[in-house]
Amino acid sequence: MKQALIIYESMYGDNEKVAYAIAQGLATQMRVDVMEVSSAPPRVDTSIDLLVVGGPTHMTRMSSEKSRSRAGNEVDEEEWEPLSETGVREWLTRLRARGEMGRGAAAAFGTNLNEPRWVSKLGQASHAIARRLKRLGFQMIEPPETFFVEEVQGPLSEGEVERAHRFGVQLARHFAEAPRPHA
Ligand SMILES: Cc1cc2nc3c(=O)[nH]c(=O)nc-3n(C[C@H](O)[C@H](O)[C@H](O)COP(=O)(O)O)c2cc1C
């Protein structure tokens, strides 16, 4: 059975929910592991047939150290800790620094604010992640997908978990159909 790996970054839990919903969709046809980016491996093992990477949109792009510390300012609770201590930007940069070139299939997702829509039009993490993966040499088997949240701290907008599940099913289908140069 083919193996997928989903790596997600999340401050407030929305991308985590999306990642697990995509995993459920993929699991209809593949084995799937889901990893939070802070504990993700520094390289993509050759046993991974499909890599899926996602994270939140911060200031129209992928998060940065600065934007992640700002994410903490949004929260009232003193004890609050972000789910992710690092970001997919840093993880992808590390892959590049190690000369890790993508050998397999990949897809990207992310989250943006649902309203106002013009904010999302300024930029989406899903697109930025897809560009990076492509530059690393991965074969993108699906256009990047953005899921929407109601407020900065979530929750996901109505129907988005179900849409993420469908995205996972569709990914698995397209993966099975895509010609794989490394196969
Ligand atoms: C510092 C910061 C900047 C943000 N900038 C944007 C933005 O430019 N566009 C947007 O749609 N959402 C923006 N948001 C909202 C995030 O997209 C939202 O917090 C995220 O999707 C929630 O996902 P998570 O729970 O997985 O962290 C921003 C949030 C923070 C904390």
Side-chain angles (χ1 to χ4, degrees), residues 8-18 55-61 66-74 80 83 110-124 146-149 151-154 156:
Y8 71 89
E9 171 193 340
S10 189
M11 297 288 108
Y12 312 108
D14 300 288
N15 279 277
E16 183 173 61
K17 289 198 182 85
V18 169
T57 303
H58 282 183
M59 277 115 85
T60 74
R61 47 192 69 175
K66 201 166 154 192
S67 76
R68 289 194 296 275
S69 75
R70 280 209 205 164
N73 300 342
E74 297 278 338
W80 184 80
L83 264 169
T111 52
N112 273 74
L113 282 171
N114 193 16
E115 300 279 349
R117 270 297 157 110
W118 62 264
V119 171
S120 294
K121 293 215 169 81
L122 296 176
Q124 303 179 14
T146 294
F147 299 91
F148 293 97
V149 295
E151 305 282 345
V152 168
Q153 296 181 50
L156 285 159

